[in-house]
Amino acid sequence: MFQKLLLLLALVLIYCSNKNSAIITAIGFSILGYFVTNFLIPKVGPSFIKIGLFGKDLSKPGKPVLPETIGAVSAIVYLFVVLSYIPFIFYKYMVVTTSGGGERGNVIPSHEESLNSTIFPHDRLCEYLSSILCLQSTILLGIADDLFDLRWRHKFFLPITGSIPLLVIYYVDFGVTYVLIPGFIQRWMQLTASTIDLGGLYYVYMAAMGIFCPNSINILAGVNGLEVGQSIVLGILELLNDTLYLTLGSKQARAAHRFSAVLIIPFLGVSLALWKWNRWPAKVFVGDTYCYFAGMVFAVVGILGHFSKTILLLFIPQILNFLYSCPQLFKIVPCPRHRLPHFNEEDGLMYPSVANLKDEPPKSWFIPILRLLNCFKLIQLEFDDKDKSKIISCSNMTLINLTLVWFGPMREDRLCNRILQIQFLIGLLALFARHAGGAMLFGHDNLWT
Ligand code: UD1
Ligand code: MG
């Protein structure tokens, strides 16, 4: 009954948006996206297993086999949603504000008028299509990874090809490559300029974001529900930020954040459906396809919405996880294929998993750093019984294992929830710092000006 009511609500929203409120249309379509994804996942799961797309749930008794790459279903439904509401979003622009075929040029609203209305201006269509193109290529790369288990050095750099359309559109539409210099640095260095032009480096930075966001979600993984859960938390935080700008921001900011909300709302719809099947006890795995797709959605809105630095603030937990992982990613400390926590069948709890340093010792210069981290409880070391100075293992360097080191062993679902709560809290603080601290550092915050 509730589901039927929700479906009815989706249709009413799409109808009542009267084809000129992009956000209401997005909400309607996102509810449809939720239902379609939720319907398809249990239907296609067995077919995925049949063609070899499956994985063992390593943290359950007997390691049951589950369909893998199911995130591809969410990603493809998302593409259908964002493609099919193009006519709705641009309807008024196409017909109502023009006299129709052949005479559009006479009455196309100026850029200023477009910003005033609730529909998108024309140049937004171009940005919108390039975003879809970027997401499509990222999803293809993700599927290739899930099918062929690509090497890390390839996985790391492949998303860059997906970001090329974005960078080109950024170059044509904005071309802004300068960043503000905080007031205290201006005063301290007695600078007359309040900005610094990064030129080509700004494009390198944006391309790096296209690499970082997808991969950082993929390495904060290994607990049921965590890949999708962290993406949902990121989506909610971003939507919160969009809401602030849509209610208080300038016309320019409202247009950028409307664009972001229109991409994030359906992302939340398809992700919530996936989370229903991937949360503990998982019935499906999301695969690398979903991680890349989710990360790229945030990179896209950050780059084209021109608020990539705010997006990076929301990614603080993923940045910390990446930095913490670096010694293992760069093979200074051995990195096992899986770093997910160790499941103890006897008590059903998760314990920090370890890297064996006895057979494969870390680089000698890093040993004092490991000891220091151990002193601050930032890692768990195990020493040889006979020779107490010899380290025989260390906990794998992920935020998931660190949470277990700090809070002790816990059940998989509680571990996932704890990490998501911490992520949400950090995200809220980051948003607060962005708007309160931004005003202090730069003399003003773009939310109010
Ligand atoms: C990344 C991590 C790896 C982690 C893995 C878990 C790095 C460098 N790599 O590798 O340490 O173990 O993700 O996704 O940090 N699985 C579970 N339970 C879950 C999720 C996954 O048992 O809740 C297992 C399943 O066997 C599944 C496999 O992990 O088949 C998926 O691993 P995959 O996504 O291919 O690993 P990577 O992304 O390469
Ligand atoms: Mg993965």
Side-chain angles (χ1 to χ4, degrees):
M1 184 63 189
F2 176 68
Q3 296 205 344
K4 282 184 187 146
L5 277 177
L6 214 57
L7 256 177
L8 188 69
L9 175 71
L11 297 175
V12 170
L13 283 177
I14 293 171
Y15 181 75
C16 289
S17 66
N18 203 19
K19 300 184 181 102
N20 70 30
S21 171
I23 291 186
I24 295 184
T25 314
I27 296 173
F29 269 96
S30 133
I31 298 174
L32 290 184
Y34 173 89
F35 278 107
V36 175
T37 312
N38 187 37
F39 170 80
L40 284 177
I41 289 176
K43 294 265 181 298
V44 301
S47 320
F48 274 56
I49 294 184
K50 223 182 268 171
I51 59 164
L53 287 174
F54 58 80
K56 284 185 179 166
D57 194 343
L58 304 171
S59 312
K60 301 289 176 304
K63 300 191 172 62
V65 166
L66 303 181
E68 181 103 51
T69 321
I70 293 295
V73 177
S74 303
I76 288 166
V77 172
Y78 177 85
L79 285 181
F80 271 96
V81 166
V82 291
L83 282 171
S84 48
Y85 71 43
I86 292 178
F88 289 80
I89 295 175
F90 292 95
Y91 178 80
K92 194 172 173 188
Y93 181 78
M94 288 174 345
V95 181
V96 179
T97 59
T98 73
S99 48
E103 290 184 48
R104 292 185 174 89
N106 297 336
V107 274
I108 284 177
S110 68
H111 187 66
E112 192 56 25
E113 282 166 345
S114 305
L115 291 176
N116 275 331
S117 76
T118 49
I119 55 163
F120 283 99
H122 194 232
D123 50 355
R124 292 275 153 179
L125 176 62
C126 195
E127 289 176 7
Y128 191 79
L129 292 178
S130 76
S131 309
I132 296 177
L133 186 60
C134 170
L135 292 173
Q136 257 175 354
S137 27
T138 305
I139 293 167
L140 275 180
L141 295 173
I143 293 177
D145 184 15
D146 278 327
L147 285 175
F148 304 110
D149 211 0
L150 303 177
R151 283 159 173 259
W152 265 94
R153 57 171 173 270
H154 300 140
K155 294 200 216 204
F156 204 76
F157 290 106
L158 279 177
I160 209 168
T161 43
S163 16
I164 291 174
L166 291 186
L167 300 187
V168 171
I169 292 295
Y170 186 88
Y171 179 78
V172 174
D173 271 9
F174 306 102
V176 178
T177 52
Y178 58 81
V179 287
L180 291 175
I181 307 172
F184 73 94
I185 295 186
Q186 283 176 44
R187 284 190 293 278
W188 179 47
M189 298 185 77
Q190 295 179 344
L191 298 173
T192 44
S194 59
T195 59
I196 178 168
D197 192 2
L198 297 181
L201 273 184
Y202 200 84
Y203 289 89
V204 175
Y205 152 73
M206 287 188 291
M209 214 175 139
I211 299 173
F212 177 76
C213 294
N215 282 296
S216 67
I217 293 185
N218 193 26
I219 62 169
L220 187 53
V223 176
N224 288 181
L226 190 55
E227 288 115 314
V228 201
Q230 66 181 297
S231 309
I232 293 175
V233 170
L234 282 167
I236 293 172
L237 289 166
E238 176 45 36
L239 209 54
L240 201 71
N241 190 41
D242 290 337
T243 313
L244 282 177
Y245 280 96
L246 284 169
T247 45
L248 302 168
S250 66
K251 280 178 205 158
Q252 205 81 35
R254 277 210 300 274
H257 286 273
R258 195 176 304 123
F259 170 77
S260 159
V262 158
L263 290 179
I264 297 284
I265 293 170
F267 172 73
L268 282 176
V270 297
S271 297
L272 283 169
L274 182 60
W275 191 65
K276 186 178 156 197
W277 295 93
N278 180 241
R279 72 176 178 216
W280 186 89
K283 299 186 185 62
V284 302
F285 286 134
V286 302
D288 292 348
T289 311
Y290 179 80
C291 302
Y292 292 165
F293 155 66
M296 202 50 116
V297 168
F298 294 103
V300 163
V301 297
I303 292 173
L304 289 188
H306 202 42
F307 49 87
S308 54
K309 287 165 295 275
T310 308
I311 290 285
L312 283 184
L313 279 179
L314 299 184
F315 268 77
I316 286 176
Q318 285 79 6
I319 294 174
L320 292 178
N321 186 53
F322 170 73
L323 293 176
Y324 187 48
S325 296
C326 276
Q328 288 197 300
L329 296 180
F330 295 107
K331 305 275 185 275
I332 298 165
V333 173
C335 181
R337 165 68 182 90
H338 281 292
R339 300 192 296 162
L340 49 84
H342 168 71
F343 173 65
N344 182 353
E345 285 207 16
E346 273 158 31
D347 58 11
L349 301 180
M350 309 292 282
Y351 290 78
S353 63
V354 296
N356 183 347
L357 305 187
K358 208 172 169 183
D359 305 334
E360 226 185 312
K363 300 262 184 277
S364 54
W365 61 266
F366 198 71
I367 293 178
I369 301 178
L370 280 178
R371 290 182 190 280
L372 196 70
L373 290 173
N374 188 45
C375 288
F376 291 104
K377 222 183 162 198
L378 288 169
I379 204 165
Q380 203 168 58
L381 299 182
E382 197 189 335
F383 297 93
D384 195 317
D385 279 343
K386 291 180 196 116
D387 179 2
K388 288 285 177 206
S389 64
K390 204 169 164 211
I391 305 169
I392 55 170
S393 77
C394 74
S395 55
N396 280 314
M397 299 163 134
T398 66
L399 285 195
I400 310 175
N401 286 309
L402 188 60
T403 310
L404 290 168
V405 170
W406 283 348
F407 297 100
M410 60 182 101
R411 219 173 65 183
E412 195 178 4
D413 55 333
R414 302 220 172 99
L415 173 60
C416 180
N417 291 343
R418 181 68 57 92
I419 297 170
L420 295 182
Q421 283 158 4
I422 297 173
Q423 184 200 353
F424 190 65
L425 204 69
I426 295 179
L428 278 185
L429 288 174
L431 278 185
F432 178 75
R434 161 72 185 80
H435 295 297
M440 273 171 1
L441 276 179
F442 301 109
H444 73 282
D445 180 41
N446 65 356
L447 182 59
W448 321 104
T449 51

